Amino acid sequence: MYEHLVVFKFNSSYQPQQEQQLVQTLLGLRDQIPGIIGLTAGVNVTEETGNIHGYTLGLRVTFSDQEALRAYGPHPAHQHFVAMLEGIIESVVVVDYPVQG
């Protein structure tokens, strides 16, 4: 299995009412892309201060294997989500790693 972690930071063009549409689109990927065995997404509600650096949306996807992870990026459903970010995204952090144990 592989984990795919992503956090998003939006620019000033971003409207907070877009959050639920983005979250729902991300959650929909679970049923559209083969090899996803778990997916969660949501708006950052941390109470920690000083460490979030403006990142307000998070995504965690568990893939069955590395091949499924590689097929995710170019998949049309994922590309649709990427297109939704055009003009509103400032920064994205991505971490992919094999699950140990």
Side-chain angles (χ1 to χ4, degrees):
M1 291 189 304
Y2 278 76
E3 293 289 351
H4 174 68
L5 307 175
V6 186
V7 290
F8 302 90
K9 181 178 184 178
F10 298 101
N11 64 28
S12 60
S13 299
Y14 176 72
Q15 300 298 315
Q17 59 267 29
Q18 292 173 280
E19 288 177 340
Q20 284 311 308
Q21 181 183 10
L22 292 171
V23 169
Q24 290 307 309
T25 300
L26 286 170
L27 294 174
L29 298 178
R30 182 176 26 217
D31 298 325
Q32 299 177 56
I33 301 178
I36 293 177
I37 57 176
L39 185 150
T40 61
V43 176
N44 188 354
V45 296
T46 187
E47 293 180 3
E48 291 187 31
T49 59
N51 291 323
I52 65 168
H53 303 286
Y55 290 90
T56 58
L57 183 65
L59 169 69
R60 183 198 54 80
V61 185
T62 304
F63 291 96
S64 56
D65 53 33
Q66 191 174 27
E67 184 176 309
L69 171 61
R70 288 180 176 146
Y72 169 77
H75 191 281
H78 177 258
Q79 288 303 308
H80 169 74
F81 174 75
V82 170
M84 292 175 68
L85 299 175
E86 189 166 328
I88 62 170
I89 198 75
E90 181 176 319
S91 180
V92 177
V93 175
V94 179
V95 177
D96 297 323
Y97 60 88
V99 175
Q100 302 293 314

